[in-house]
mmCIF file of all heavy atoms in Angstrom:
data_model
loop_
_atom_site.group_PDB
_atom_site.id
_atom_site.type_symbol
_atom_site.label_atom_id
_atom_site.label_comp_id
_atom_site.label_asym_id
_atom_site.label_seq_id
_atom_site.Cartn_x
_atom_site.Cartn_y
_atom_site.Cartn_z
ATOM 1 N N ALA A 114 -1.876 37.671 25.455
ATOM 2 C CA ALA A 114 -2.058 36.382 26.079
ATOM 3 C C ALA A 114 -0.867 36.013 26.985
ATOM 4 O O ALA A 114 -1.112 35.459 28.058
ATOM 5 C CB ALA A 114 -2.194 35.273 25.005
ATOM 6 N N ASP A 115 0.338 36.340 26.465
ATOM 7 C CA ASP A 115 1.511 36.098 27.341
ATOM 8 C C ASP A 115 1.496 36.838 28.662
ATOM 9 O O ASP A 115 1.778 36.502 29.661
ATOM 10 C CB ASP A 115 2.819 36.487 26.611
ATOM 11 C CG ASP A 115 3.201 35.513 25.543
ATOM 12 O OD1 ASP A 115 2.635 34.327 25.618
ATOM 13 O OD2 ASP A 115 4.005 35.791 24.566
ATOM 14 N N ARG A 116 1.076 38.207 28.499
ATOM 15 C CA ARG A 116 0.943 38.996 29.808
ATOM 16 C C ARG A 116 -0.021 38.403 30.688
ATOM 17 O O ARG A 116 0.120 38.450 31.839
ATOM 18 C CB ARG A 116 0.447 40.483 29.345
ATOM 19 C CG ARG A 116 1.640 41.406 29.246
ATOM 20 C CD ARG A 116 1.285 42.799 29.075
ATOM 21 N NE ARG A 116 2.473 43.534 28.757
ATOM 22 C CZ ARG A 116 2.866 43.664 27.498
ATOM 23 N NH1 ARG A 116 2.124 43.145 26.525
ATOM 24 N NH2 ARG A 116 3.998 44.312 27.079
ATOM 25 N N ALA A 117 -1.198 38.053 30.153
ATOM 26 C CA ALA A 117 -2.257 37.482 30.956
ATOM 27 C C ALA A 117 -1.820 36.186 31.704
ATOM 28 O O ALA A 117 -2.135 35.916 32.882
ATOM 29 C CB ALA A 117 -3.467 37.180 30.209
ATOM 30 N N ALA A 118 -0.999 35.367 30.991
ATOM 31 C CA ALA A 118 -0.540 34.167 31.593
ATOM 32 C C ALA A 118 0.432 34.415 32.588
ATOM 33 O O ALA A 118 0.466 33.737 33.600
ATOM 34 C CB ALA A 118 0.084 33.251 30.524
ATOM 35 N N MET A 119 1.313 35.457 32.375
ATOM 36 C CA MET A 119 2.406 35.709 33.437
ATOM 37 C C MET A 119 1.637 36.332 34.708
ATOM 38 O O MET A 119 2.103 36.010 35.756
ATOM 39 C CB MET A 119 3.345 36.794 32.887
ATOM 40 C CG MET A 119 4.150 36.223 31.741
ATOM 41 S SD MET A 119 5.436 34.981 32.328
ATOM 42 C CE MET A 119 6.770 36.250 32.682
ATOM 43 N N ALA A 120 0.600 37.036 34.461
ATOM 44 C CA ALA A 120 -0.183 37.571 35.743
ATOM 45 C C ALA A 120 -0.773 36.606 36.371
ATOM 46 O O ALA A 120 -0.807 36.534 37.612
ATOM 47 C CB ALA A 120 -1.187 38.698 35.179
ATOM 48 N N ALA A 121 -1.368 35.502 35.592
ATOM 49 C CA ALA A 121 -2.004 34.408 36.340
ATOM 50 C C ALA A 121 -1.056 33.626 37.021
ATOM 51 O O ALA A 121 -1.370 33.002 38.146
ATOM 52 C CB ALA A 121 -2.687 33.581 35.279
ATOM 53 N N ALA A 122 0.155 33.568 36.577
ATOM 54 C CA ALA A 122 1.226 32.759 37.314
ATOM 55 C C ALA A 122 1.744 33.396 38.520
ATOM 56 O O ALA A 122 2.432 32.869 39.429
ATOM 57 C CB ALA A 122 2.413 32.517 36.390
ATOM 58 N N GLY A 123 1.470 34.766 38.665
ATOM 59 C CA GLY A 123 1.850 35.532 39.890
ATOM 60 C C GLY A 123 3.166 36.207 39.632
ATOM 61 O O GLY A 123 3.765 36.790 40.704
ATOM 62 N N VAL A 124 3.664 36.286 38.422
ATOM 63 C CA VAL A 124 4.986 37.037 38.135
ATOM 64 C C VAL A 124 4.844 38.537 38.398
ATOM 65 O O VAL A 124 3.932 38.995 37.707
ATOM 66 C CB VAL A 124 5.444 36.753 36.778
ATOM 67 C CG1 VAL A 124 6.869 37.440 36.522
ATOM 68 C CG2 VAL A 124 5.603 35.207 36.555
ATOM 69 N N PRO A 125 5.590 39.104 39.135
ATOM 70 C CA PRO A 125 5.467 40.571 39.404
ATOM 71 C C PRO A 125 5.575 41.297 38.012
ATOM 72 O O PRO A 125 6.351 40.843 37.120
ATOM 73 C CB PRO A 125 6.511 40.898 40.367
ATOM 74 C CG PRO A 125 6.872 39.689 41.078
ATOM 75 C CD PRO A 125 6.589 38.572 40.115
ATOM 76 N N ARG A 126 4.827 42.424 37.880
ATOM 77 C CA ARG A 126 4.795 43.028 36.579
ATOM 78 C C ARG A 126 6.136 43.458 36.028
ATOM 79 O O ARG A 126 6.377 43.304 34.806
ATOM 80 C CB ARG A 126 3.831 44.304 36.684
ATOM 81 C CG ARG A 126 3.613 44.994 35.367
ATOM 82 C CD ARG A 126 2.591 46.127 35.450
ATOM 83 N NE ARG A 126 2.437 46.781 34.224
ATOM 84 C CZ ARG A 126 1.742 47.970 34.047
ATOM 85 N NH1 ARG A 126 1.042 48.433 35.088
ATOM 86 N NH2 ARG A 126 1.678 48.454 32.833
ATOM 87 N N ARG A 127 7.029 44.067 36.926
ATOM 88 C CA ARG A 127 8.258 44.476 36.470
ATOM 89 C C ARG A 127 9.003 43.395 35.799
ATOM 90 O O ARG A 127 9.543 43.471 34.702
ATOM 91 C CB ARG A 127 9.108 44.989 37.635
ATOM 92 C CG ARG A 127 10.611 45.372 37.272
ATOM 93 C CD ARG A 127 11.314 45.882 38.349
ATOM 94 N NE ARG A 127 10.885 47.122 38.834
ATOM 95 C CZ ARG A 127 11.279 48.354 38.110
ATOM 96 N NH1 ARG A 127 12.105 48.272 37.106
ATOM 97 N NH2 ARG A 127 10.840 49.459 38.571
#
Side-chain angles (χ1 to χ4, degrees):
D115 285 344
R116 262 190 195 87
M119 293 287 272
V124 181
R126 184 175 175 184
R127 173 180 291 279

